[in-house]
Amino acid sequence: MFRRAFWFTTGAAAGVWATAKVQRKLRSLAPDALAVRAAGKAVEGGHRLKDFALDVRAGMAQRESELNSALGIDAPLPDHPAGPGLPAQARRPQLGPAEHSQGPYRPYDRDEDH
């Protein structure tokens, strides 16, 4: 009698555990859960790419300073646009991505030539 009750209880517990595990797996494969997981991976990949770009930029700046010191051109030339000899209004402004579209250049218009 006890033996049957033990195996019945063991089978019921295994059934409940398996059902819960299958339901959990099905929820993780739902479209909205997959979309959230994909978005998280994309953001993580974007952060890695940004870190890589910053590392490359830092390496470029370091190598440029090494080359400049090896060539003996540590200071910028006075007639260079970023040089200290020019007045502030003669220097080129530093444009960000938003200012490029509002600059003095118009996009190409195909009907303009006809």
Side-chain angles (χ1 to χ4, degrees), residues 22-93:
V22 167
Q23 289 296 325
R24 210 175 315 131
K25 187 65 172 177
L26 286 176
R27 273 189 300 243
S28 72
L29 294 176
D32 55 346
L34 290 176
V36 167
R37 194 174 326 142
K41 295 281 185 182
V43 168
E44 181 181 331
H47 288 306
R48 286 184 188 172
L49 187 62
K50 179 182 151 197
D51 291 342
F52 174 72
L54 290 175
D55 289 344
V56 167
R57 189 174 290 177
M60 286 172 42
Q62 179 184 0
R63 182 65 179 149
E64 183 178 4
S65 67
E66 290 172 2
L67 290 173
N68 285 342
S69 65
L71 294 174
I73 50 174
D74 291 332
L77 299 175
D79 59 343
H80 193 268
L86 294 176
Q89 51 272 57
R91 293 186 189 142
R92 288 181 52 189

Side-chain angles (χ1 to χ4, degrees), residues 2-17:
F2 289 113
R3 201 168 161 186
R4 285 184 184 173
F6 170 76
W7 286 114
F8 177 77
T9 307
T10 304
V16 168
W17 176 79

